[in-house]
Amino acid sequence: MNTLFSFRRFFQFVFVVVGLLYSSCETTVDIDIPFEKPQVVLNSTLTHNTFPKVRLTYSRHILDNNWEFEPITTAEVKLTIEGQSYYLEYNEDSGEYISLDHMVEGGKEYIVEAVVEGYSVVRASEFVPVQVPIKDLVYNGQAYVDAWLSGDDFSLIFDDPEGENFYEISAYYYRMDHYIDQNGDEVYYYDSRTIYLEPKNPSYESDFYLNGGLIIDDKLFDGKEASIDFFTGGNYMEMEVDGGEVHFVLKNISKSYYDFQSTYGLQDWNDGDPFAQPVQVYSNIENGFGIFMTGNISSISIEANVD
């Protein structure tokens, strides 16, 4: 008797038996997870002296693999200001409902209503803040941010109106630059970069990333002159070396704007952290989801040069 052959047959037999036993113990359970009716999502930011725009989409199920939200193109979207109403028309290129016959005005309350077939009327209201002018932008020279890094030192000054106010502050660097193309011709182009602002006062720091800018309330200077001091960075610009222009934007924003940006920023910052507490993104849409927020912009620029 061939001993090697017998061992091979024995192990083959054992392998087959173990496989049958394992397969008999495996149970497949199909769980039917219902896909509920999608909700209407309305997103709009009304800014003084701009055309009103509203974006409507259907919400996505958590297991929906489609990365794009389905737009709603056949809705009836209406804006009402001080008892006067007008309708917005859907624009295929931008995917938004727009009116080019009206401009948003500060100091007024806007009501948006969207009628979508099969749904209750989606509605929201918001007051557009008044403009808060920038009094001055002061360049204080180069300063050390910490023991290793230095940056440009700025102070943004404005008068805060009485009452509760919220602000978004951002900055940009612009300059004309050029290069020589393959034909030996000199080509000029406009270079634009975001300036990352780091407030000196830690009370103004955020626990999340906001595209280089920041949002603050007026608790530290309610009804008084505000002077917000910043270090700048991230834009590879030095005021005393490069030419161009530094542009600061102060946006007086609604509380809904502030609450949405704060909660959205925290959720995005904590994404992927299994130990972070979940953050519910702020929504102010009746009979739907999304955000209807407003703002009013003032800006100031100073030249960057070697002098």
Side-chain angles (χ1 to χ4, degrees), residues 133-148:
I134 297 173
K135 291 179 66 174
D136 202 2
L137 176 63
V138 180
Y139 174 57
N140 303 309
Q142 281 272 320
Y144 277 97
V145 179
D146 53 37
W148 298 276

Side-chain angles (χ1 to χ4, degrees), residues 39-46 53-59 69 72 75-79 88 97 111-116 120-125 260 282-293:
Q39 298 295 307
V40 175
V41 180
L42 187 153
N43 289 311
S44 176
T45 302
L46 299 187
K53 301 178 181 179
V54 175
R55 184 179 298 275
L56 286 177
T57 61
Y58 290 111
S59 64
F69 290 89
I72 301 174
E76 185 180 89
V77 180
K78 179 177 67 175
L79 278 180
L88 310 185
Y97 290 84
I111 302 172
V112 61
E113 293 178 309
V115 178
V116 180
S120 299
V121 177
V122 177
R123 184 182 183 277
S125 63
F260 171 78
Y282 177 80
S283 171
N284 63 350
I285 306 301
E286 182 181 336
N287 297 324
F289 297 116
I291 184 66
F292 183 51
M293 55 190 185

Side-chain angles (χ1 to χ4, degrees), residues 7 9-10 14 16 27 35 43 46-47 49 60 72 90 124 133 143 146 155 167 188 191 204 214 216 250 261 284 297:
F7 273 114
R9 294 193 62 180
F10 173 75
V14 171
V16 171
T27 303
F35 278 67
N43 289 311
L46 299 187
T47 306
N49 207 32
R60 284 200 336 241
I72 301 174
Y90 185 73
D146 53 37
S155 297
Y167 300 97
Y188 286 85
D191 184 20
Y204 299 135
L214 72 155
I216 62 174
L250 174 69
Q261 292 287 25
N284 63 350
I297 290 174

Side-chain angles (χ1 to χ4, degrees), residues 29-41:
V29 179
D30 294 325
I31 301 176
D32 185 17
I33 300 178
F35 278 67
E36 298 178 354
K37 180 181 179 180
Q39 298 295 307
V40 175
V41 180

Side-chain angles (χ1 to χ4, degrees), residues 20-306:
L20 290 173
L21 289 173
Y22 179 80
S23 62
S24 64
C25 296
E26 183 179 313
T27 303
T28 302
V29 179
D30 294 325
I31 301 176
D32 185 17
I33 300 178
F35 278 67
E36 298 178 354
K37 180 181 179 180
Q39 298 295 307
V40 175
V41 180
L42 187 153
N43 289 311
S44 176
T45 302
L46 299 187
T47 306
H48 170 72
N49 207 32
T50 64
F51 297 118
K53 301 178 181 179
V54 175
R55 184 179 298 275
L56 286 177
T57 61
Y58 290 111
S59 64
R60 284 200 336 241
H61 191 275
I62 191 172
L63 299 180
D64 190 348
N65 293 324
N66 184 8
W67 287 99
E68 296 183 357
F69 290 89
E70 181 184 354
I72 301 174
T73 62
T74 58
E76 185 180 89
V77 180
K78 179 177 67 175
L79 278 180
T80 301
I81 315 99
E82 297 181 341
Q84 301 295 318
S85 300
Y86 59 87
Y87 290 89
L88 310 185
E89 296 183 359
Y90 185 73
N91 184 286
E92 291 283 351
D93 295 331
S94 66
E96 298 170 308
Y97 290 84
I98 303 174
S99 173
L100 300 180
D101 299 324
H102 301 83
M103 301 283 281
V104 177
E105 298 180 57
K108 295 185 178 181
E109 183 183 30
Y110 282 73
I111 302 172
V112 61
E113 293 178 309
V115 178
V116 180
E117 185 177 358
Y119 292 85
S120 299
V121 177
V122 177
R123 184 182 183 277
S125 63
E126 192 78 333
F127 187 84
V128 179
V130 298
Q131 186 185 60
V132 177
I134 297 173
K135 291 179 66 174
D136 202 2
L137 176 63
V138 180
Y139 174 57
N140 303 309
Q142 281 272 320
Y144 277 97
V145 179
D146 53 37
W148 298 276
L149 297 176
S150 63
D152 290 306
D153 186 341
F154 286 93
S155 297
L156 184 71
I157 303 171
F158 59 93
D159 288 327
D160 176 61
E162 293 287 344
E164 187 180 50
N165 295 288
F166 304 89
Y167 300 97
E168 180 183 66
I169 303 174
S170 54
Y172 308 90
Y173 170 59
Y174 302 96
R175 73 172 177 177
M176 185 69 72
D177 209 339
H178 68 281
Y179 65 92
I180 306 299
D181 66 13
Q182 58 186 5
N183 298 320
D185 298 323
E186 197 170 29
V187 179
Y188 286 85
Y189 66 95
Y190 207 51
D191 184 20
S192 173
R193 309 176 193 176
T194 298
I195 296 177
Y196 295 87
L197 302 177
E198 181 176 341
K200 292 184 182 179
N201 189 334
S203 300
Y204 299 135
E205 293 181 351
S206 301
D207 294 328
F208 52 87
Y209 173 78
L210 193 65
N211 196 29
L214 72 155
I215 57 173
I216 62 174
D217 57 36
D218 65 347
K219 292 179 180 177
L220 296 182
F221 49 83
D222 185 14
K224 302 176 183 178
E225 181 183 82
S227 181
I228 314 298
D229 302 321
F230 304 95
F231 293 119
T232 66
N235 57 301
Y236 304 103
M237 176 274 299
E238 294 183 16
M239 283 287 293
E240 299 173 0
V241 176
D242 299 326
E245 189 175 80
V246 174
H247 188 73
F248 270 72
V249 175
L250 174 69
K251 181 185 286 189
N252 187 10
I253 60 176
S254 61
K255 187 176 187 302
S256 295
Y257 192 123
Y258 180 87
D259 290 339
F260 171 78
Q261 292 287 25
S262 298
T263 53
Y264 174 78
L266 283 173
Q267 186 198 62
D268 184 64
W269 184 259
N270 292 329
D271 185 34
D273 183 354
F275 302 105
Q277 291 185 346
V279 179
Q280 179 67 47
V281 177
Y282 177 80
S283 171
N284 63 350
I285 306 301
E286 182 181 336
N287 297 324
F289 297 116
I291 184 66
F292 183 51
M293 55 190 185
T294 56
N296 203 326
I297 290 174
S298 61
S299 61
I300 190 171
S301 300
I302 61 175
E303 292 185 358
N305 51 56
V306 296

